[in-house]
Amino acid sequence: MAQGNTRILDKVGIWASSLCAVHCLSLPVLLPIAPLLGASFFAQDWFERSILIVSLVVGFWAMLVGFYRHHRQISPLISIALGGMIYWNKDIFGESFEPITIAIGAMLIVAAHVTNLRLTQQSKKRAS
């Protein structure tokens, strides 16, 4: 996979993680009007988990490509794994801490993508 494709995967991962966080954080506000809009599926746990799974699959794919083809740094993989675990278990500290847990998990996932992008770009510059 070319370096450009890795960048695309990282950017898609950043967007997916951010979308997931926005969804989770805005849901309590939008939940009361969701049935009126015919959008009650947004409040379903399966929908949230689906977005997160897609985000993590894209993310791990980008991290592994970056690791094996470009930089050999494990920190992006650790960051995305930790962010995914925190995000998946967002309700571990109770409902009142859920927004904080979501934000921390999403930030770790986005940070993994940003780090992977930077490491890949630095690797390309060294190779030139």
Side-chain angles (χ1 to χ4, degrees):
M1 178 174 286
Q3 193 248 346
N5 291 340
T6 303
R7 286 183 67 175
I8 291 170
L9 283 175
D10 279 320
K11 289 180 180 185
V12 167
I14 290 169
W15 276 100
S17 300
S18 300
L19 173 65
C20 200
V22 167
H23 166 265
C24 290
L25 295 173
S26 64
L27 192 59
V29 175
L30 300 176
L31 191 58
I33 63 168
L36 298 173
L37 301 174
S40 59
F41 68 92
F42 283 117
Q44 300 297 319
D45 195 44
W46 66 265
F47 183 75
E48 182 179 321
R49 299 284 187 192
S50 298
I51 294 172
L52 181 57
I53 288 169
V54 168
S55 173
L56 291 174
V57 167
V58 169
F60 275 109
W61 186 6
M63 299 308 131
L64 289 171
V65 168
F67 178 84
Y68 285 113
R69 296 209 178 188
H70 301 289
H71 54 73
R72 300 285 184 188
Q73 298 291 319
I74 198 158
S75 59
L77 284 164
I78 292 171
S79 182
I80 197 167
L82 186 58
M85 286 188 299
I86 290 170
Y87 208 131
W88 189 267
N89 296 299
K90 67 185 180 342
D91 55 355
I92 196 166
F93 299 114
E95 194 173 309
S96 60
F97 287 102
E98 204 170 289
I100 295 166
T101 309
I102 290 168
I104 291 169
M107 284 189 299
L108 284 167
I109 294 169
V110 170
H113 284 289
V114 171
T115 302
N116 194 50
L117 274 171
R118 287 184 181 154
L119 290 170
T120 300
Q121 289 170 348
Q122 289 171 358
S123 171
K124 184 179 177 188
K125 286 178 185 177
R126 279 183 290 214
S128 307

Short mmCIF file of all heavy atoms in Angstrom, two decimals, residues 68-93:
data_model
loop_
_atom_site.label_atom_id
_atom_site.label_comp_id
_atom_site.label_asym_id
_atom_site.label_seq_id
_atom_site.Cartn_x
_atom_site.Cartn_y
_atom_site.Cartn_z
N TYR A 68 4.56 -1.44 9.56
CA TYR A 68 5.35 -2.38 8.77
C TYR A 68 6.05 -1.75 7.56
O TYR A 68 7.12 -2.18 7.17
CB TYR A 68 4.50 -3.56 8.30
CG TYR A 68 4.21 -4.52 9.42
CD1 TYR A 68 2.93 -4.69 9.91
CD2 TYR A 68 5.24 -5.25 10.00
CE1 TYR A 68 2.67 -5.57 10.94
CE2 TYR A 68 4.99 -6.14 11.04
CZ TYR A 68 3.70 -6.29 11.50
OH TYR A 68 3.45 -7.15 12.53
N ARG A 69 5.45 -0.74 6.97
CA ARG A 69 6.03 -0.18 5.75
C ARG A 69 6.83 1.09 5.95
O ARG A 69 7.57 1.48 5.05
CB ARG A 69 4.93 0.10 4.74
CG ARG A 69 4.24 -1.17 4.32
CD ARG A 69 3.72 -1.04 2.97
NE ARG A 69 3.12 -2.31 2.59
CZ ARG A 69 2.69 -2.57 1.40
NH1 ARG A 69 2.77 -1.66 0.48
NH2 ARG A 69 2.17 -3.74 1.13
N HIS A 70 6.65 1.75 7.10
CA HIS A 70 7.25 3.08 7.21
C HIS A 70 8.10 3.31 8.45
O HIS A 70 9.25 3.66 8.34
CB HIS A 70 6.18 4.17 7.10
CG HIS A 70 5.42 4.11 5.83
ND1 HIS A 70 5.95 4.45 4.62
CD2 HIS A 70 4.14 3.71 5.57
CE1 HIS A 70 5.06 4.30 3.66
NE2 HIS A 70 3.95 3.84 4.21
N HIS A 71 7.55 3.17 9.62
CA HIS A 71 8.24 3.73 10.78
C HIS A 71 8.62 2.77 11.90
O HIS A 71 9.45 3.10 12.73
CB HIS A 71 7.41 4.89 11.36
CG HIS A 71 5.99 4.53 11.69
ND1 HIS A 71 5.65 3.75 12.76
CD2 HIS A 71 4.84 4.87 11.07
CE1 HIS A 71 4.34 3.63 12.80
NE2 HIS A 71 3.82 4.29 11.78
N ARG A 72 8.01 1.63 12.02
CA ARG A 72 8.32 0.65 13.08
C ARG A 72 8.17 1.21 14.50
O ARG A 72 8.86 0.78 15.42
CB ARG A 72 9.72 0.07 12.91
CG ARG A 72 9.96 -0.65 11.63
CD ARG A 72 9.30 -1.99 11.65
NE ARG A 72 9.65 -2.68 10.40
CZ ARG A 72 9.12 -3.80 10.02
NH1 ARG A 72 8.25 -4.39 10.78
NH2 ARG A 72 9.46 -4.35 8.89
N GLN A 73 7.29 2.17 14.67
CA GLN A 73 7.00 2.72 16.00
C GLN A 73 5.68 2.12 16.50
O GLN A 73 4.68 2.15 15.80
CB GLN A 73 6.86 4.25 15.94
CG GLN A 73 8.12 4.96 15.49
CD GLN A 73 9.21 4.85 16.53
OE1 GLN A 73 8.97 4.96 17.72
NE2 GLN A 73 10.43 4.63 16.05
N ILE A 74 5.69 1.62 17.72
CA ILE A 74 4.52 0.93 18.25
C ILE A 74 3.53 1.88 18.96
O ILE A 74 2.39 1.51 19.21
CB ILE A 74 4.95 -0.23 19.18
CG1 ILE A 74 3.80 -1.19 19.36
CG2 ILE A 74 5.46 0.31 20.50
CD1 ILE A 74 4.20 -2.55 19.78
N SER A 75 3.95 3.09 19.23
CA SER A 75 3.09 4.01 19.99
C SER A 75 1.72 4.27 19.35
O SER A 75 0.72 4.32 20.08
CB SER A 75 3.82 5.33 20.27
OG SER A 75 4.21 5.96 19.07
N PRO A 76 1.59 4.39 18.02
CA PRO A 76 0.25 4.56 17.47
C PRO A 76 -0.65 3.34 17.71
O PRO A 76 -1.84 3.49 17.99
CB PRO A 76 0.48 4.78 15.97
CG PRO A 76 1.88 5.26 15.86
CD PRO A 76 2.61 4.58 16.98
N LEU A 77 -0.07 2.15 17.64
CA LEU A 77 -0.85 0.94 17.89
C LEU A 77 -1.32 0.87 19.35
O LEU A 77 -2.46 0.49 19.62
CB LEU A 77 -0.02 -0.31 17.55
CG LEU A 77 0.13 -0.60 16.06
CD1 LEU A 77 1.26 -1.58 15.82
CD2 LEU A 77 -1.17 -1.14 15.51
N ILE A 78 -0.45 1.24 20.26
CA ILE A 78 -0.83 1.25 21.68
C ILE A 78 -1.93 2.27 21.92
O ILE A 78 -2.90 2.01 22.62
CB ILE A 78 0.40 1.52 22.57
CG1 ILE A 78 1.37 0.33 22.49
CG2 ILE A 78 -0.02 1.80 24.00
CD1 ILE A 78 2.71 0.58 23.15
N SER A 79 -1.78 3.45 21.32
CA SER A 79 -2.76 4.52 21.50
C SER A 79 -4.14 4.13 20.97
O SER A 79 -5.15 4.35 21.64
CB SER A 79 -2.27 5.80 20.81
OG SER A 79 -3.16 6.85 21.03
N ILE A 80 -4.18 3.53 19.78
CA ILE A 80 -5.49 3.16 19.23
C ILE A 80 -6.11 2.01 20.02
O ILE A 80 -7.32 1.98 20.23
CB ILE A 80 -5.43 2.86 17.72
CG1 ILE A 80 -6.84 2.88 17.14
CG2 ILE A 80 -4.72 1.56 17.44
CD1 ILE A 80 -6.90 2.91 15.65
N ALA A 81 -5.29 1.07 20.48
CA ALA A 81 -5.82 -0.05 21.27
C ALA A 81 -6.38 0.45 22.60
O ALA A 81 -7.49 0.08 23.00
CB ALA A 81 -4.73 -1.08 21.50
N LEU A 82 -5.63 1.31 23.26
CA LEU A 82 -6.09 1.86 24.54
C LEU A 82 -7.34 2.72 24.35
O LEU A 82 -8.31 2.60 25.10
CB LEU A 82 -4.96 2.68 25.17
CG LEU A 82 -5.21 3.22 26.57
CD1 LEU A 82 -5.52 2.10 27.54
CD2 LEU A 82 -3.99 4.01 27.04
N GLY A 83 -7.33 3.57 23.32
CA GLY A 83 -8.50 4.41 23.03
C GLY A 83 -9.73 3.57 22.72
O GLY A 83 -10.83 3.87 23.19
N GLY A 84 -9.55 2.51 21.94
CA GLY A 84 -10.66 1.64 21.61
C GLY A 84 -11.22 0.92 22.83
O GLY A 84 -12.44 0.81 22.99
N MET A 85 -10.34 0.46 23.70
CA MET A 85 -10.80 -0.22 24.92
C MET A 85 -11.55 0.74 25.84
O MET A 85 -12.58 0.39 26.40
CB MET A 85 -9.62 -0.85 25.66
CG MET A 85 -9.08 -2.10 24.99
SD MET A 85 -7.85 -3.00 25.95
CE MET A 85 -6.55 -1.81 26.12
N ILE A 86 -11.02 1.95 25.98
CA ILE A 86 -11.69 2.94 26.82
C ILE A 86 -13.05 3.30 26.24
O ILE A 86 -14.06 3.35 26.95
CB ILE A 86 -10.80 4.19 27.00
CG1 ILE A 86 -9.60 3.86 27.87
CG2 ILE A 86 -11.60 5.35 27.58
CD1 ILE A 86 -8.54 4.94 27.92
N TYR A 87 -13.07 3.54 24.94
CA TYR A 87 -14.31 3.93 24.27
C TYR A 87 -15.34 2.81 24.34
O TYR A 87 -16.52 3.05 24.61
CB TYR A 87 -14.01 4.27 22.81
CG TYR A 87 -14.94 5.26 22.19
CD1 TYR A 87 -14.46 6.35 21.50
CD2 TYR A 87 -16.32 5.09 22.26
CE1 TYR A 87 -15.32 7.25 20.91
CE2 TYR A 87 -17.17 5.98 21.67
CZ TYR A 87 -16.67 7.05 20.99
OH TYR A 87 -17.52 7.93 20.39
N TRP A 88 -14.93 1.58 24.08
CA TRP A 88 -15.84 0.44 24.10
C TRP A 88 -16.48 0.28 25.48
O TRP A 88 -17.64 -0.07 25.61
CB TRP A 88 -15.10 -0.83 23.71
CG TRP A 88 -16.01 -1.99 23.49
CD1 TRP A 88 -16.38 -2.93 24.40
CD2 TRP A 88 -16.68 -2.34 22.28
NE1 TRP A 88 -17.22 -3.85 23.83
CE2 TRP A 88 -17.43 -3.50 22.52
CE3 TRP A 88 -16.71 -1.76 21.00
CZ2 TRP A 88 -18.21 -4.11 21.54
CZ3 TRP A 88 -17.49 -2.38 20.03
CH2 TRP A 88 -18.23 -3.53 20.31
N ASN A 89 -15.71 0.54 26.52
CA ASN A 89 -16.19 0.40 27.91
C ASN A 89 -16.54 1.75 28.50
O ASN A 89 -16.30 2.00 29.68
CB ASN A 89 -15.12 -0.31 28.74
CG ASN A 89 -14.89 -1.70 28.26
OD1 ASN A 89 -15.78 -2.53 28.28
ND2 ASN A 89 -13.68 -1.97 27.79
N LYS A 90 -17.14 2.62 27.72
CA LYS A 90 -17.41 4.00 28.11
C LYS A 90 -18.27 4.14 29.36
O LYS A 90 -18.19 5.12 30.05
CB LYS A 90 -18.05 4.75 26.96
CG LYS A 90 -19.44 4.25 26.61
CD LYS A 90 -19.97 4.93 25.40
CE LYS A 90 -21.33 4.52 24.98
NZ LYS A 90 -21.91 3.31 25.43
N ASP A 91 -19.07 3.15 29.65
CA ASP A 91 -19.96 3.24 30.80
C ASP A 91 -19.40 2.56 32.06
O ASP A 91 -20.11 2.39 33.03
CB ASP A 91 -21.33 2.67 30.45
CG ASP A 91 -21.24 1.25 29.91
OD1 ASP A 91 -20.12 0.74 29.73
OD2 ASP A 91 -22.31 0.65 29.68
N ILE A 92 -18.13 2.23 32.03
CA ILE A 92 -17.52 1.50 33.16
C ILE A 92 -17.56 2.31 34.47
O ILE A 92 -17.66 1.75 35.54
CB ILE A 92 -16.08 1.05 32.82
CG1 ILE A 92 -15.62 -0.02 33.79
CG2 ILE A 92 -15.13 2.23 32.78
CD1 ILE A 92 -14.36 -0.74 33.34
N PHE A 93 -17.49 3.63 34.36
CA PHE A 93 -17.50 4.48 35.56
C PHE A 93 -18.88 5.06 35.83
O PHE A 93 -19.03 5.92 36.68
CB PHE A 93 -16.48 5.61 35.42
CG PHE A 93 -15.08 5.12 35.27
CD1 PHE A 93 -14.38 5.32 34.09
CD2 PHE A 93 -14.45 4.44 36.30
CE1 PHE A 93 -13.08 4.87 33.94
CE2 PHE A 93 -13.15 3.97 36.16
CZ PHE A 93 -12.47 4.19 34.98
#
